[in-house]
């Protein structure tokens, strides 16, 4: 097995997740956290929450992207080693949600980083978030 | 030795929200704290003035997703007072029940997060497993797990059937068994006590003079609870006992919350027993019938929450909407608790006030020296 293949295999079996809040109302964040707890248990797919961007493969981004948080979020994205994937969770992260048009938000994380999977909902259920993670794993396994 | 600055945040594993603190430390001891708030500032108060009354309720629900029921309750009560609308009795009881269910979920969530930060992952997972019982009840009663949009102007959106009442009762009885176990763990477990007892002390005098609210104040023996002092919804007919502890440390603040879990379960049970039959909603005009100013205070899971509005006759949107949230009121007390503590105790002290920064970040900049408002470009303050 070549080294690249080995890395891809490892990534698919055990994707490490970093959760970034860009100014969410906390609902999406607690649902992301709920996805990790016994009822939903995303860890059965090998995914585990990591505290540092330098260890992460997947960024789960929530929130409407406030102007104050933009620079920080960009920095977190740059600190994550390649290849990295982004899942935008919640109506806010997708398009600004209820906060669309507020002076403090940029409305949508895809304005500053490429997004691979969008999970709609306000907030999405933990099942939906897990579905998003699985979709991303499928997408990566199909790509070369 | 000169003190050293340590930056924590804005993106940091101990903070679930983007917020920054600069700690001045001398060796292991924190000598001063400078919070830098505002990373979650979205501009909700301004946006609320641009929405109709009905839409504004959905917007302020999203100030904070954890205590969303408290926000909608405060909001609809303020609007109803300005409109001089009377809500049916059954609606008041239903509001109380959902409000207390929301408190159950919020306290279980916080206690879980506290265990996670102490490194006690087993208890974290157990608390969150039992929290799902409450989430199921929320879904049963309101149709959604978190954002319930249950309170509407003039009443509530859904009724609770007799069958649902018995389901809620059964689930809460089993939850209360679990809470007894957790109370024992928090009261006696040597690991938890070692991490919490005497950590982040707040004296009653400091608590009052710095304006602490909610469980943060009650953990220092200050007897404040809006449900008792200014009864709203059905609290004038339901008995509610404020829980206070005199120790004033992080442990006391956690114990207040655990005892409040029992109290909330009892309140829900009493409300289910006393709930009268009848309508759950009355029609309300879309435009304000008179020019008025009104406010409403409720006891959110984190403490006193105030919504304050101005309405103008014939207008369908509020002239001005102002919100004062509990975490904002608790910030000065938090800085006081952190001073003199060890660096390793920062996360536990921080989480013991149950911080919610998405609530806090709605700041107005006023230059107090010149009493002038200054326009600061948001970008320049990063
Ligand atoms: S999408 Fe909805 S629930 Fe999620 S952060 Fe935004 S407002 Fe909150």
């Amino acid at each position: 097995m070549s080294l690249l293949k080995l890395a891809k295999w490892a990534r698919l079996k055990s994707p490490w997740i970093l959760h970034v809040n860009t100014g969410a109302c906390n609902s999406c964040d607690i649902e992301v956290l709920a996805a990790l707890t016994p009822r939903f248990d995303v860890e059965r797919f090998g995914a585990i929450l990591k505290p540092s961007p330098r260890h992460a493969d997947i960024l789960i981004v929530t929130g409407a992207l406030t102007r104050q948080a933009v620079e920080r979020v960009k920095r977190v994205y740059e600190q994550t080693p390649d290849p990295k994937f982004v899942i935008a969770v919640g109506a806010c992260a997708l398009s600004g949600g209820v906060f669309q048009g507020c002076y403090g938000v940029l409305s949508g994380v895809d304005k500053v980083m490429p997004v691979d999977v969008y999970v709609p909902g306000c907030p999405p259920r933990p099942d939906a978030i897990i579905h998003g993670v699985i979709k991303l794993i499928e997408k990566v396994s199909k790509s070369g | 030795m000169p003190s050293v600055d340590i930056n924590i945040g804005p993106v940091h594993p101990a903070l679930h929200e983007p917020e920054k603190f600069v700690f001045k430390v001398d060796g292991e001891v924190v000598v001063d704290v400078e919070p830098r708030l505002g990373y979650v500032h979205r501009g909700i108060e301004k946006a609320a003035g641009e929405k109709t009354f009905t839409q504004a309720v959905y917007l302020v629900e999203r100030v904070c997703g954890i205590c969303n029921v408290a926000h909608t309750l405060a909001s609809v009560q303020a609007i109803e007072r300005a409109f001089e609308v009377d809500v049916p009795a059954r609606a008041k009881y239903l509001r109380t029940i959902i409000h207390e269910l929301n408190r159950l979920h919020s306290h279980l969530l916080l206690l879980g997060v506290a265990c996670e930060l102490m490194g006690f992952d087993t208890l974290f997972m157990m608390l969150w497993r039992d929290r799902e019982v409450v989430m199921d009840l929320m879904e049963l009663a309101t149709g959604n797990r978190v954002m319930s949009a249950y309170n509407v102007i003039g009443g509530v959106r859904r009724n609770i059937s007799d069958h649902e009442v018995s389901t809620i009762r059964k689930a809460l009885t089993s939850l209360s068994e679990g809470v007894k176990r957790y109370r024992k763990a928090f009261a006696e477990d040597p690991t938890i006590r070692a991490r919490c007892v005497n950590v982040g002390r707040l004296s009653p005098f400091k608590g009052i003079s710095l304006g602490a609210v909610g469980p943060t104040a009650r953990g220092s023996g200050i007897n404040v609870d809006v449900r008792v002092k200014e009864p709203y919804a059905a609290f004038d007919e339901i008995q509610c006992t404020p829980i206070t502890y005199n120790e004033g440390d992080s442990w006391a603040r956690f114990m207040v919350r655990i005892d409040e879990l029992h109290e909330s379960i009892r309140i829900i049970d009493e409300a289910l027993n006393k709930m009268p039959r009848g309508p759950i909603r009355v029609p309300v005009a879309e435009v304000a019938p008179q020019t008025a100013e009104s406010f409403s205070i409720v006891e959110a899971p984190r403490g006193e929450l105030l919504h304050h509005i101005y309405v103008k006759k014939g207008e369908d949107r509020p002239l001005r909407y102002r919100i004062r949230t509990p975490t904002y009121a608790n910030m000065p007390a938090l800085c006081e608790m952190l001073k003199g503590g060890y660096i390793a105790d920062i996360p536990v002290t921080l989480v013991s006030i149950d911080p919610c920064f998405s609530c806090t970040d709605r700041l107005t900049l006023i230059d107090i020296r010149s009493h002038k408002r200054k326009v600061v470009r948001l970008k320049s303050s990063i």
Side-chain angles (χ1 to χ4, degrees), chain B residues 211-228:
Chain B
V213 294
T216 309
R218 292 198 284 276
S220 295
I222 306 166
N223 189 350
V224 284
D225 193 322
V226 187
R227 291 174 292 174
V228 182

Side-chain angles (χ1 to χ4, degrees), chain A residues 35-47:
Chain A
L36 293 154
T37 52
R39 163 81 67 89
F40 300 99
D41 197 14
V42 73
E43 285 182 21
R44 65 203 144 111
F45 302 110

Side-chain angles (χ1 to χ4, degrees), chain A residues 18-41 43 49-53 64-76 92 98-105 122-127, chain B residues 10-13 16-18 20 36-44 46-47 50-51 58-59 61-66 68 105 109 113 116 124-126 128-129 131-133 135-136 139 144-147 355-358 363 378-379 381-382:
Chain A
L18 174 76
H19 167 213
V20 191
N21 179 337
T22 68
C25 78
N26 272 342
S27 256
C28 281
D29 311 84
I30 58 179
E31 291 296 62
V32 168
L33 214 52
L36 293 154
T37 52
R39 163 81 67 89
F40 300 99
D41 197 14
E43 285 182 21
L49 202 65
K50 279 282 146 187
S52 165
L65 192 64
T66 61
R67 283 172 202 279
Q68 304 267 321
V70 172
E71 294 300 320
R72 316 290 161 166
V73 175
K74 275 192 200 154
R75 213 177 291 168
V76 169
C92 280
V98 279
F99 305 117
Q100 213 165 39
C102 285
Y103 63 81
V105 301
C122 183
R125 290 179 60 92
D127 328 34
Chain B
V11 181
H12 190 269
H16 289 281
E17 292 171 83
K20 185 168 123 180
R36 155 71 170 85
L37 307 172
Y39 289 100
V40 203
H41 182 91
R42 291 154 292 184
I44 292 181
K46 171 91 168 61
E50 290 162 5
K51 305 242 189 273
Y58 291 98
L59 180 68
E61 182 174 25
R62 284 155 178 84
V63 168
C64 165
I66 303 180
N68 59 69
H105 119 78
L109 175 141
V113 172
E116 188 200 8
F124 161 52
M125 291 294 178
M126 285 166 79
W128 276 61
R129 184 194 61 200
R131 181 177 157 271
E132 288 297 329
V133 173
M135 302 316 277
D136 285 346
E139 193 168 5
N144 206 354
R145 281 164 55 87
V146 186
M147 288 294 180
C356 171
F357 297 114
S358 62
L363 310 177
L378 273 172
K379 206 135 191 240
S381 56
I382 292 173

